[in-house]
Amino acid sequence: MAIQGSSPDAGHEVVLTWPDADQLHSALKVSSSSLRAIGACRAAPGSTRGSYLPIFTFQEVRQHCAVHREACPSALGYRDLGPYSFKTRGIIWKRPTELCANPQFIIGGATRTDVCQGELGDCWLLAAIASLTLNPEILYRVVPKDQNFQKDYAGIFHFQFWQYGEWVDVVVDDRLPTKNGKLVFVHSEEGNEFWSALLEKAYAKLNGSYEALTGGSTMEGFEDFTGGISESYELRRAPSNLYQIIQKALRAGSLLGCSIDITTAAEIEAITSLKLVKGHAYSVTGAEEVYYRGRPEKLVRLRNPWGEVEWTGAWSDNAPEWNYIDPKQRQALDKQIDDGEFWMAFSDFQRQFTRLEICNLTPDTLTSNEVNKWDLTLFNGQWRRGSSAGGCQNYQATYWTNPQFKIRLDEPDDDHEGSLNEPCCTILVGLMQKNRRRQKKMGEALLSIGYSLYQIPQELENNTDTHVNHAFFARNQPAARSDPYVNLREVSSRIKLPLGEYLIVPSTFEPYKNGEFCLRVFSEKQAKPQMIGDVVAARPYEPHVDNKDIDDEFKTLFQKLSGEDCEVTATELQTILNRVLVKRRDIKSDGFNINTCREMISLLDTNGTGTLGLVEFKTLWMKIQKYLAIYKKVDSDYSGTIDSHEMRNALREAGFTLNDQVQHSIVIRYACSKLTIDFDGFVACMIRLETLFKVFHLLDKDKSGVIQLSLAEWPCCTLV
């Protein structure tokens, strides 16, 4: 049961959408009368009679619903934690009330020691949770207050996560996986505090299972807890002011994580001689300067989510260096407890660790002393095989078919670094692929993704009707781009650009990869967004044919083909066209089917006879000749077919302006498994589009671009 909401306060509205009352009260074990008693019911948008949205607060759910459904084996996983895996043998789902005498949700506020790793490889997530405890305001957005095992306890808890531009509530029951009476996964050091275990369960539910959480980047957890945007630093190539950036980020409540890269699979969680774990996510929880033997020494504090295994080098617990600093500082900093948290010299940190990740809640706090509100622009899009999954610039034939977005930068930063003649704007661009973790059980891995930005020349500014074409990318190099394509959930970078209009092209590394994404642009001043190719319009070729314009040879041929009635039926039309196709060697076709021929007649039959007269047949013949010329022009490799990505050019030549959704529908309907379209399929597509636009314009009497149809009218239109 996932409940979507927008506010963590006690009275926020929670909306569940269920097809009908029976399914709803069956799922919640609550009677229909109880649901009506909970709150008002309203019709779901676009629903039929009887479908409704019950509206009630989380507290009312807690009062009226005790979740009795047993924990499902698939909640654990699908392979290593699947139903028949040896790793899941002996696992019993138990409530905290069955594990200890006095279970608590949170005791004295959430602390880092509440987050100890269990048998799941989700240290990246736990490092993010541990950092979350440093900022109570952020923590209680994710882990709403007023939840406990005492007052109004009903066995359910709720949490909030940011997901691709919106906050989502996830409600879970409190059954947790155990072995031998102990929690299998995350747990608190004390053993009777359960907020972290329930948070992990809610996040697992959001992503499909516990196993889906195996492996990841701390940045992913950071962003899902804050809605912020992340930056990554390679420590061996870090800026000279990195220590100040870390201090400033910690003061601003930003979340920080770090890790040591591995070179082989055997190194995963290998422990070095100084007790650092490779391929493992740590939280950065502090940064302090001390005076050591009369000189300043920069220190950083790290935490291992295991809750144990600590650095044993300089400045570790009980290391001799602590004897040479101010005793008060030593007392404040050196805890001398094996709790997974430790200090180390910043110089050692840069040598030992590979990467630092920072999630910016307000990105400008890392580079400016003034806290400004950044402007956020969010685009959603899809890569679809054969239509909008063009791959990177290595694939020039298809790259231009990727989704394209425009932003316009009109105002420079207040403290821009450009010259007076060329002021600059700062933007932070993040490309995030959606829902890949949920799809792991289907064998889907993260795609390698990246993006490029191009400055638009003045002559092409304000043009948003169609995609920028192949020729543009052949002539223009990117003004900026993300780092090399990488299989992370999000890639991001901070970019300074002169004023102007820019095209952003997000892509996967290889073409023909399906995926969904959101593209976020943070800018110091407002960036005016424009989406490319969201227009749908048609100006198809319409030959003007008059009886007197038709030459005698064509009339004689028509009379011979049509017979005594001088009218061509669908069957006769099929025979005529396929005889012509058989003779051509420059195009490939399986021949026109009878349904396409009927649709051709329907489009041009002005008197409703279901046949074509001389003028109508001549008009159709000229249309087919036009489509043949376009088809051959677009068939750049002379294969006799056109590739699905070439359909964009063909449609444009034929007078159609279509958005990505329609382009993708065309590929699904008319392309074969090899993503090619033969001539009869191409003509069938053109005729179908002409028919659809013709019917729409006939019904759009006031030219508003919107029509309304009754149920009786709908089949008449679709059967045309």
Side-chain angles (χ1 to χ4, degrees):
M1 180 178 71
I3 298 181
Q4 293 194 342
S6 59
S7 170
D9 60 74
H12 85 281
E13 182 183 79
V14 180
V15 179
L16 270 74
T17 305
W18 233 270
D20 57 51
D22 290 339
Q23 284 183 269
L24 180 58
H25 73 68
S26 174
L28 296 180
K29 306 295 183 185
V30 181
S31 68
S32 295
S33 59
S34 295
L35 285 173
R36 284 190 287 272
I38 287 172
C41 295
R42 68 176 179 219
S47 66
T48 57
R49 186 177 180 182
S51 298
Y52 62 89
L53 299 176
I55 304 171
F56 38 89
T57 66
F58 176 74
Q59 283 68 25
E60 289 168 327
V61 176
R62 185 164 60 191
Q63 291 166 13
H64 289 266
C65 311
V67 180
H68 299 292
R69 186 165 55 92
E70 288 295 326
C72 179
S74 63
L76 289 173
Y78 45 87
R79 188 175 56 244
D80 292 346
L81 293 177
Y84 304 106
S85 167
F86 76 92
K87 289 186 178 181
T88 61
R89 291 175 187 168
I91 286 183
I92 301 172
W93 294 79
K94 290 188 176 182
R95 298 185 187 276
T97 51
E98 301 173 87
L99 295 173
C100 61
N102 185 29
Q104 300 292 322
F105 188 63
I106 292 180
I107 305 173
T111 62
R112 297 181 295 282
T113 58
D114 297 343
V115 189
C116 298
Q117 190 172 1
E119 296 181 18
L120 190 63
D122 61 348
C123 59
W124 61 274
L125 174 64
L126 307 190
I129 295 175
S131 293
L132 194 66
T133 63
L134 300 176
N135 190 319
E137 185 179 352
I138 301 172
L139 172 71
Y140 292 120
R141 174 66 191 261
V142 178
V143 185
K145 293 182 178 180
D146 192 29
Q147 303 191 82
N148 56 64
F149 291 94
Q150 289 77 39
K151 183 181 178 182
D152 298 328
Y153 168 70
I156 60 173
F157 293 84
H158 80 125
F159 302 87
Q160 290 194 314
F161 304 104
W162 181 90
Q163 288 286 282
Y164 317 118
E166 64 180 6
W167 285 90
V168 176
D169 262 12
V170 178
V171 178
V172 292
D173 66 49
D174 63 350
R175 297 175 191 272
L176 296 166
T178 69
K179 270 187 182 179
N180 302 317
K182 294 184 178 180
L183 292 178
V184 176
F185 303 130
V186 73
H187 54 278
S188 66
E189 195 173 73
E190 294 79 8
N192 66 333
E193 201 167 354
F194 291 93
W195 71 269
S196 58
L198 291 166
L199 173 62
E200 182 189 44
K201 178 178 179 178
Y203 198 69
K205 181 173 182 176
L206 183 72
N207 287 282
S209 68
Y210 277 97
E211 187 173 355
L213 304 184
T214 302
S217 164
T218 305
M219 289 195 293
E220 184 176 345
F222 284 169
E223 291 180 336
D224 285 351
F225 295 152
T226 67
I229 191 165
S230 296
E231 295 182 87
S232 180
Y233 294 93
E234 286 191 36
L235 291 173
R236 287 168 182 78
R237 296 190 297 168
S240 58
N241 64 335
L242 180 63
Y243 191 73
Q244 287 72 33
I245 289 174
I246 291 172
Q247 286 184 312
K248 199 170 188 181
L250 288 167
R251 287 198 301 268
S254 300
L255 307 183
L256 294 82
C258 60
S259 59
I260 303 171
D261 283 357
I262 59 172
T263 54
T264 65
E267 287 188 301
I268 293 178
E269 296 192 345
I271 300 175
T272 70
S273 59
L274 294 172
K275 300 295 184 181
L276 293 177
V277 186
K278 292 186 175 183
H280 185 65
Y282 288 77
S283 306
V284 180
T285 60
E288 297 286 346
E289 285 193 57
V290 299
Y291 268 89
Y292 171 65
R293 290 182 167 176
R295 58 179 177 80
E297 178 80 50
K298 296 180 175 68
L299 304 179
V300 291
R301 185 176 65 202
L302 280 68
R303 185 170 192 281
N304 180 349
W306 287 350
E308 55 186 4
V309 185
E310 297 183 6
W311 160 256
T312 57
W315 298 101
S316 59
D317 292 357
N318 294 312
E321 288 80 9
W322 292 106
N323 296 322
Y324 299 95
I325 70 166
D326 184 293
K328 290 183 179 179
Q329 275 196 309
R330 174 176 182 170
Q331 186 177 3
L333 302 180
D334 183 22
K335 300 302 181 185
Q336 303 179 15
I337 302 172
D338 187 21
D339 58 358
E341 194 164 58
F342 56 87
W343 291 93
M344 64 191 306
F346 180 63
S347 55
D348 282 334
F349 171 70
Q350 287 188 285
R351 280 193 294 268
Q352 298 289 337
F353 283 83
T354 312
R355 193 174 311 281
L356 172 70
E357 297 166 338
I358 303 176
C359 181
N360 305 305
L361 310 184
T362 50
D364 53 318
T365 58
L366 298 183
T367 56
S368 170
N369 290 323
E370 295 181 23
V371 177
N372 300 309
K373 182 180 179 182
W374 281 50
D375 185 71
L376 171 62
T377 301
L378 186 143
F379 301 101
N380 286 292
Q382 297 179 327
W383 296 295
R384 286 291 174 258
R385 181 176 181 268
S387 61
S388 60
C392 71
Q393 289 149 302
N394 296 350
Y395 304 90
Q396 294 183 6
T398 56
Y399 176 71
W400 72 280
T401 65
N402 282 302
Q404 300 175 5
F405 306 92
K406 273 187 182 178
I407 56 169
R408 185 169 185 85
L409 304 174
D410 290 328
E411 297 181 72
D413 300 343
D414 292 332
D415 56 350
H416 68 82
E417 296 178 6
S419 67
L420 292 175
N421 294 327
E422 193 176 33
C424 288
C425 301
T426 300
I427 61 172
L428 187 58
V429 181
L431 172 63
M432 180 182 292
Q433 49 189 316
K434 295 182 178 181
N435 304 316
R436 302 302 292 192
R437 193 170 287 281
R438 287 189 67 87
Q439 295 163 1
K440 284 174 72 173
K441 64 183 178 183
M442 280 86 82
E444 297 288 345
L446 284 167
L447 301 168
S448 290
I449 60 172
Y451 57 82
S452 295
L453 283 84
Y454 300 82
Q455 186 157 18
I456 300 292
Q458 287 186 346
E459 63 269 20
L460 294 179
E461 287 185 358
N462 301 316
N463 175 25
T464 60
D465 288 355
T466 59
H467 263 53
V468 176
N469 61 23
H470 177 274
F472 172 87
F473 296 105
R475 295 191 305 265
N476 294 275
Q477 290 298 310
R481 60 176 58 166
S482 58
D483 287 334
Y485 285 75
V486 63
N487 59 337
L488 294 175
R489 186 177 73 156
E490 182 176 54
V491 295
S492 63
S493 57
R494 188 181 291 261
I495 304 167
K496 288 189 179 294
L497 297 169
L499 301 184
E501 191 168 280
Y502 292 87
L503 182 76
I504 308 178
V505 182
S507 71
T508 58
F509 180 72
E510 295 178 315
Y512 309 119
K513 298 291 184 181
N514 290 325
E516 296 178 84
F517 64 85
C518 67
L519 178 71
R520 294 187 290 168
V521 180
F522 283 81
S523 52
E524 287 199 10
K525 298 296 177 68
Q526 185 179 19
K528 298 175 182 175
Q530 297 174 310
M531 185 165 179
I532 305 293
D534 205 28
V535 175
V536 176
R539 294 186 64 185
Y541 172 60
E542 294 292 355
H544 297 287
V545 180
D546 193 276
N547 191 57
K548 62 184 179 182
D549 298 327
I550 303 174
D551 60 66
D552 291 338
E553 184 180 353
F554 190 89
K555 289 179 179 178
T556 302
L557 178 62
F558 176 75
Q559 289 170 354
K560 180 180 178 181
L561 295 171
S562 61
E564 294 181 3
D565 60 356
C566 289
E567 292 284 334
V568 173
T569 65
T571 303
E572 290 169 335
L573 179 61
Q574 182 184 27
T575 301
I576 294 166
L577 294 179
N578 288 340
R579 280 179 182 174
V580 174
L581 281 180
V582 166
K583 297 177 182 179
R584 300 198 67 108
R585 295 290 178 264
D586 55 343
I587 55 175
K588 292 183 179 178
S589 173
D590 295 328
F592 289 100
N593 64 47
I594 192 67
N595 288 331
T596 299
C597 294
R598 286 171 179 154
E599 192 153 355
M600 291 177 183
I601 291 176
S602 178
L603 175 65
L604 296 166
D605 178 19
T606 55
N607 53 16
T609 61
T611 58
L612 296 181
L614 174 62
V615 173
E616 296 164 336
F617 183 78
K618 177 65 174 180
T619 303
L620 174 62
W621 189 255
M622 292 178 70
K623 279 183 175 289
I624 292 175
Q625 292 297 312
K626 176 70 172 178
Y627 290 141
L628 176 61
I630 293 171
Y631 188 84
K632 288 178 62 63
K633 179 180 178 180
V634 172
D635 179 18
S636 55
D637 59 358
Y638 306 105
S639 63
T641 63
I642 60 175
D643 293 333
S644 59
H645 65 265
E646 294 175 326
M647 274 296 282
R648 286 185 184 271
N649 287 328
L651 289 161
R652 187 182 300 175
E653 291 278 346
F656 295 102
T657 302
L658 304 174
N659 63 21
D660 282 347
Q661 290 87 345
V662 180
Q663 300 272 3
H664 181 57
S665 297
I666 287 172
V667 171
I668 292 174
R669 172 65 179 82
Y670 294 101
C672 71
S673 60
K674 295 180 180 178
L675 296 178
T676 60
I677 300 172
D678 59 13
F679 182 65
D680 59 282
F682 176 70
V683 174
C685 176
M686 297 299 107
I687 295 296
R688 184 64 174 160
L689 286 172
E690 283 200 47
T691 302
L692 291 172
F693 278 96
K694 179 182 177 181
V695 170
F696 186 91
H697 289 309
L698 287 172
L699 295 171
D700 184 17
K701 295 181 172 54
D702 59 359
K703 308 305 177 189
S704 65
V706 177
I707 62 173
Q708 289 185 323
L709 298 176
S710 69
L711 183 58
E713 292 169 326
W714 170 246
C716 294
C717 294
T718 56
L719 290 172
V720 168

